[in-house]
Amino acid sequence: MSTVPSGGNRPRSAARSPALTPPADAIAPVRHPDAPAPGELLGSHYAHCFGCGDEQPHGLHLQARAGEGVSITAEFTVRPSHQGAPGLAHGGVLATALDESLGALSWLLRVVAVTGKLETDFVRPVPVDSVLFLAAEATAVSGRKIFCSATGRLGSPEGPLALRADALFVEVKVDHFIDNGRPEEIRAAMADPDQVRRARAFEVNP
Ligand SMILES: CCCCCCCCCCCC(=O)SCCNC(=O)CCNC(=O)[C@H](O)C(C)(C)COP(=O)(O)OP(=O)(O)OC[C@H]1O[C@@H](n2cnc3c(N)ncnc32)[C@H](O)[C@@H]1OP(=O)(O)O
């Protein structure tokens, strides 16, 4: 019996929702001229974010770095608290790591965007203590819609493919959070000059 999980070589687009295929008039994503330089750590967009916040004790503490074009890389170490099955990462946690990596592309586009749709293939089991090497890139833009893809590889950037995702992010105004977030966290964020600075860094026209 083969030990290679099935599905690893399936062409990605064949099984994806039509909504994840950019329309014919979509344009190539444009890296903002003030985007962080390739290799630069992007930092957290919100200290309490479950994906990247350094003040979030339960979080993944993902640290993303700018890549070339509109791409990022990130590393995620799977901890015992991330288990689903014994000794294996929970799929929802892995999807979160992909989602956060894709969200980090906003730093390079300098737009604020949220996940509208995320489709994930779990190609290989991911054991506890694995280091996942994540890579995400924006592939097309159409109006407010940002089409993007990510992969997660085991042990090194060239390691076996464990995860891949395609996603649609939708550009929003900062008001999206002010209007929808719980008032106490919104008040605290708006009173924090460092948080306001981070929010501004996403926006071309704040
Ligand atoms: C302080 C700094 C913090 C910075 C914060 C950064 C946070 C990053 C965190 C990591 C990422 C996340 O987890 S973000 C959290 C998880 N995501 C969310 O909570 C989003 C919840 N959903 C929403 O709020 C909404 O549905 C939106 C914003 C996604 C879309 O609503 P809208 O603004 O009214 O726009 P709408 O007209 O519906 O959609 C615009 C276009 O996108 C398409 N579209 C929208 N959703 C979908 C969908 N699911 N599947 C297909 N297509 C979709 C529409 O068909 C339309 O296409 P067309 O007609 O134009 O062709």
Side-chain angles (χ1 to χ4, degrees):
M1 196 173 75
S2 168
T3 55
V4 178
S6 61
N9 297 315
R10 176 173 52 70
R12 195 174 53 188
S13 56
R16 289 294 186 227
S17 299
L20 291 174
T21 301
D25 59 356
I27 60 171
V30 177
R31 183 192 180 93
H32 190 271
D34 297 333
E40 206 171 300
L41 269 180
L42 297 174
S44 169
H45 62 87
Y46 175 45
H48 301 284
C49 172
F50 182 76
C52 66
D54 43 19
E55 289 177 35
Q56 176 49 267
H58 309 293
L60 306 187
H61 299 135
L62 215 73
Q63 287 198 322
R65 251 174 226 287
E68 302 288 339
V70 185
S71 73
I72 66 94
T73 56
E75 289 175 30
F76 166 48
T77 302
V78 179
R79 306 289 181 198
S81 58
H82 301 141
Q83 290 175 93
L88 293 175
H90 193 290
V93 171
L94 299 174
T96 302
L98 290 162
D99 187 24
E100 185 64 38
S101 303
L102 290 157
L105 294 167
S106 290
W107 287 100
L108 304 180
L109 295 166
R110 289 197 66 166
V111 299
V112 183
V114 292
T115 325
K117 193 171 196 66
L118 174 71
E119 288 189 8
T120 305
D121 296 324
F122 301 92
V123 181
R124 277 184 170 72
V126 176
V128 170
D129 282 344
S130 300
V131 181
L132 265 179
F133 286 75
L134 299 151
E137 66 170 336
T139 53
V141 173
S142 174
R144 295 168 56 214
K145 295 189 289 188
I146 302 159
F147 297 84
C148 43
S149 300
T151 55
R153 292 180 179 275
L154 285 171
S156 84
E158 289 78 38
L161 182 72
L163 306 165
R164 67 183 160 222
D166 292 313
L168 172 67
F169 275 61
V170 180
E171 185 178 346
V172 294
K173 300 288 180 202
V174 168
D175 286 356
H176 170 91
F177 305 101
I178 297 169
D179 294 344
N180 295 298
R182 194 166 66 157
E184 60 200 86
E185 279 85 3
I186 293 295
R187 272 196 299 274
M190 290 175 80
D192 175 358
D194 189 46
Q195 181 59 51
V196 171
R197 181 187 56 73
R198 283 185 259 189
R200 292 267 182 260
F202 277 96
E203 288 193 302
V204 178
N205 298 305

